[in-house]
Amino acid sequence: MADIRLDGVGHSYDGGKTWALKPMTWTWRDARAYALLGPSGCGKTTLLNIISGLITPTVGRVYFDERDVTGVPTAGRDIAQVFQFPVLYEEMSVYDNLAFPLRNRKVPKQEVDRRVRQVSQLLGLDQVLGRRSRRLDPGRQQIVSLGRGLVRAQVAAVLLDEPLTVVDPALKWTLRSKLKEIHRDTGHTLIYVTHDQTEALTFADEVVVVNDGEIVQAGEPAELFLSPAHEFVGHFIGSPGMNVVPAEIAGGVVRVNGGDVGAADDGLPPGPVRIGVRPEFVEIGGPETSPGVPARVTEVDRMGAYDLVHTVAGEHRVIVKTEAGAPYRPDDGVHLHFPAERTFLFRDQVRCGSLAPLHERGLA
Ligand SMILES: Nc1ncnc2c1ncn2[C@@H]1O[C@H](COP(=O)(O)OP(=O)(O)OP(=O)(O)O)[C@@H](O)[C@H]1O
């Protein structure tokens, strides 16, 4: 077990014309459970394959603690990898498949049996241990693949590349919590690749968000939700994602459509800026909602547990998440208030500050 350190690591598949992974420096801490979250094609698998040694990065060095493993092939890295689809010896029994990674490393027979039975019990495979793998359905085969990845106690990391794709949705929840249980038990470093925010947020100690070949933010699930450092994180996490509204800073005040919505952080230069605020935090009401931006309701989605009130402020769309039964109808005139403690300012997609209450600056 070790910290896995990427030092200036980047990868290009076309001789440097484009970067599938832009050069980055980043450390995966020993024994943590990470989710690597991002849309299709953002570089997640490339990053995982660099850690496992399936890909040698175009630039940079990979270290396991102080050991430089950049040129070390997969077999020499002590990594367990679980792919999207089952990788099994189909003619072997489930037991032998689970035992294979241990026997291959000459683990004593008794210890093999103990580990196989432990993992089998956790993953609900006890009833099928004697069955040939080929006779299982694809979902069950994938669970065996997962077991093969988790069976070794001593690994530098377990890398899971969208491992639950072929598993039945109802079973996904159970398996995810099993994975957490196994993680608590073994203390493996887990890196779990997914493009599904729910999977990432419910699984990980720390979520690493990747977009367009770079890490845009990493943090605990609540931190990513409450304090996005990049517009992409605001959009990608949350349902619906963060509202982004073009605004202007002038004389220390942030204005939308000519109306004051708050003060700017000290030191922020005047000029265009974008306000980011999640639908959960926008306050909606009448003209007394101050400081507020006038808006018009365009649609109300009744979601059962809550309502989504769609509005336009000038030409900017803003969604507000309210309690179920919100008393709004299309064409109603409303005011929107952006609470200072939950509203951030972005320039070039990156957070540059936050909104401050107007009265604290004596500007109200
Ligand atoms: N073997 C390859 N040759 C050329 N380009 C590749 C290769 N593998 C990946 N790419 C490109 O590199 C970029 C990153 O791909 P990668 O598979 O790492 O992304 P990903 O986030 O894992 O996507 P997905 O979730 O769809 O698997 C994409 O633009 C992809 O088309």
Side-chain angles (χ1 to χ4, degrees):
M1 306 219 189
D3 283 353
I4 297 174
R5 191 157 56 86
L6 309 178
D7 187 5
V9 162
H11 194 68
S12 169
Y13 289 99
D14 55 13
K17 275 193 225 125
T18 57
W19 291 95
L21 202 66
K22 295 174 188 159
M24 62 171 66
T25 293
W26 174 257
T27 301
W28 308 91
R29 299 261 168 236
D30 185 25
R32 268 176 97 68
Y34 292 93
L36 189 54
L37 175 69
S40 182
C42 71
K44 304 183 296 292
T45 301
T46 304
L47 184 49
L48 217 59
N49 288 344
I50 287 172
I51 296 171
S52 69
L54 289 173
I55 291 178
T56 305
T58 313
V59 294
R61 313 299 302 173
V62 181
Y63 297 90
F64 287 4
D65 284 336
E66 296 313 310
R67 180 180 168 223
D68 184 340
V69 297
T70 316
V72 177
T74 308
R77 291 198 185 189
D78 260 342
I79 289 277
Q81 197 160 2
V82 181
F83 300 93
Q84 211 168 352
F85 299 102
V87 180
L88 293 175
Y89 296 103
E90 294 204 333
E91 293 308 318
M92 277 189 195
S93 68
V94 169
Y95 186 102
D96 287 341
N97 263 294
L98 291 176
F100 190 87
L102 300 171
R103 290 179 178 150
N104 211 19
R105 285 167 182 80
K106 311 270 183 287
V107 172
K109 201 170 162 190
Q110 265 188 345
E111 176 64 7
V112 171
D113 191 61
R114 195 184 68 79
R115 287 291 301 160
V116 167
R117 291 191 186 280
Q118 199 176 13
V119 167
S120 145
Q121 202 233 333
L122 277 166
L123 295 178
L125 294 171
D126 285 354
Q127 306 305 317
V128 294
L129 275 180
R131 212 178 286 174
R132 275 191 200 184
S133 304
R134 143 170 88 75
R135 295 189 47 221
L136 304 178
D137 64 66
R140 202 52 95 72
Q141 287 181 342
Q142 181 63 358
I143 297 171
V144 180
S145 290
L146 203 56
R148 279 167 54 106
L150 296 166
V151 77
R152 284 162 59 202
Q154 298 299 323
V155 284
V158 181
L159 311 181
L160 306 140
D161 196 350
E162 311 232 12
L164 303 181
T165 309
V166 293
V167 175
D168 183 64
L171 198 56
K172 271 188 187 180
W173 285 97
T174 320
L175 282 173
R176 238 185 352 256
S177 49
K178 293 278 181 201
L179 263 173
K180 287 177 98 161
E181 207 177 314
I182 295 172
H183 176 248
R184 272 196 297 273
D185 188 41
T186 59
H188 287 139
T189 307
L190 294 187
I191 305 178
Y192 184 109
V193 167
T194 179
H195 60 263
D196 178 333
Q197 54 161 315
T198 312
E199 244 179 54
L201 299 176
T202 53
F203 168 77
D205 299 327
E206 189 171 342
V207 180
V208 179
V209 184
V210 180
N211 187 38
D212 201 13
E214 60 187 336
I215 294 175
V216 289
Q217 189 175 3
E220 290 178 11
E223 187 184 341
L224 296 181
F225 183 78
L226 293 174
S227 185
H230 194 283
E231 283 185 20
F232 177 79
V233 176
H235 290 303
F236 201 67
I237 291 178
S239 181
M242 181 177 79
N243 294 295
V244 174
V245 182
E248 185 78 22
I249 299 178
V253 174
V254 183
R255 321 188 88 183
V256 173
N257 290 339
D260 299 351
V261 295
D265 270 348
D266 285 338
L268 270 181
V273 70
R274 279 148 71 95
I275 288 178
V277 56
R278 293 202 175 274
E280 287 79 356
F281 304 129
V282 180
E283 290 166 14
I284 184 169
E288 76 287 353
T289 313
S290 175
V293 189
R296 183 174 57 80
V297 175
T298 55
E299 204 182 335
V300 181
D301 292 334
R302 310 282 178 195
M303 306 298 289
Y306 56 88
D307 288 347
L308 291 177
V309 183
H310 298 255
T311 70
V312 278
E315 56 194 30
H316 313 307
R317 291 148 58 88
V318 178
I319 301 177
V320 189
K321 201 168 185 173
T322 67
E323 282 181 13
Y328 303 106
R329 307 218 174 286
D331 280 333
D332 282 355
V334 291
H335 274 70
L336 305 178
H337 170 67
F338 305 132
E341 67 280 9
R342 294 279 179 243
T343 306
F344 303 103
L345 304 176
F346 295 84
R347 275 188 171 144
D348 294 329
Q349 304 219 329
V350 176
R351 193 166 89 204
C352 59
S354 27
L355 206 64
L358 278 173
H359 57 82
E360 279 180 16
R361 306 287 169 86
L363 295 165

